[in-house]
Amino acid sequence: MGTVTIGVSIAVPEPHGSLLQELRAGFGDAAAHGIPTHVTLLPPTEVDGSELPAIEAHLFEVAAAARPFPMRLSGTGTFRPLSPVVYIRVVEGAQGCAWLQKQVRDASGPVARDLLFPYHPHVTVAHGIDEASMDRAYEELADYEAEWPCTGFALYEQGPDAVWRKLREFPFGGAVVPPQATAPTEGASLPAHQGQGLSFGSRRARGVWPDPNERP
């Protein structure tokens, strides 16, 4: 089947997603229209296409262990000078994102991999453009705010045209079973965490989900 490039992310919903995508394009980021606005859980990763069913089954298991949590974006940050990126900060939901991405990359799963830098959930709004435009993105979105309940994540594939397209959504609680996948093994549920309705049922849920309201 050949090699494909995949990624896993939490989509920023409408109207926020399209607005930030258009703003990113307006800052001069040519890649903007090929990248849906998102919070990354698994960065671009090359896999054999034949592994996709196993990857979907794994992602179903991860999603089945989670429950919705609040997400809130506020203001801007930057990875410069280490990386030419300006981003919107995730100020609520960061710890939930961190838990999810760790489960996605679990060493026992089909997409185990290390990261070049420590995980830091964010929404990119400028990448690899000139410094003046990066500064403009940082300043113009300094007061940006958005919030929504995170209810799942999705698997994406990058096409030959460099456009990222959604392959499948994975709602929390395991509402949909992907092809050739089976429901996760049920185990003892942990109590809801601090009244946020976060609970666990599958063997993937090792440890305790961190406080979703803790700031990054």
Side-chain angles (χ1 to χ4, degrees):
M1 188 174 180
T3 300
V4 296
T5 300
I6 63 167
V8 178
S9 65
I10 295 169
V12 175
E14 299 302 337
H16 316 297
S18 292
L19 173 62
L20 290 176
Q21 191 174 35
E22 291 300 323
L23 288 169
R24 180 172 178 175
F27 295 134
D29 191 330
H33 288 302
I35 306 174
T37 309
H38 66 281
V39 177
T40 297
L41 298 178
L42 177 74
T45 301
E46 288 191 357
V47 300
D48 191 280
S50 63
E51 297 176 3
L52 286 176
I55 292 170
E56 290 191 357
H58 168 68
L59 295 177
F60 168 78
E61 188 176 291
V62 172
R67 296 295 182 269
F69 60 91
M71 290 280 288
R72 184 164 69 90
L73 309 180
S74 180
T76 50
T78 182
F79 293 133
R80 293 180 293 175
L82 291 178
S83 182
V85 171
V86 170
Y87 59 85
I88 302 293
R89 297 183 303 127
V90 176
V91 297
E92 188 169 8
Q95 297 303 309
C97 293
W99 185 90
L100 285 170
Q101 66 85 32
K102 185 176 181 181
Q103 303 307 308
V104 169
R105 297 187 300 105
D106 190 90
S108 66
V111 283
R113 59 164 292 177
D114 295 325
L115 301 178
L116 294 177
F117 302 101
Y119 181 71
H120 182 87
H122 63 280
V123 176
T124 298
V125 290
H127 180 205
I129 56 180
D130 64 88
E131 289 296 317
S133 296
M134 299 276 274
D135 290 342
R136 185 162 69 90
Y138 185 89
E139 294 165 3
E140 291 187 9
L141 293 174
D143 296 325
Y144 184 83
E145 298 274 346
E147 58 184 305
W148 70 93
C150 179
T151 59
F153 54 79
L155 173 66
Y156 292 80
E157 179 181 343
Q158 187 180 40
D161 56 0
V163 173
W164 287 90
R165 296 177 176 87
K166 185 186 299 182
L167 293 181
R168 192 173 188 85
E169 294 183 348
F170 297 87
F172 294 156
V176 178
V177 180
Q180 301 182 29
T182 56
T185 302
E186 291 297 320
S189 295
L190 297 179
H193 184 70
Q194 295 195 4
Q196 294 297 321
L198 304 175
S199 60
F200 306 91
S202 91
R203 61 184 175 83
R204 176 64 53 190
R206 295 186 289 273
V208 178
W209 186 299
D211 184 352
N213 294 308
E214 182 178 337
R215 299 297 189 264

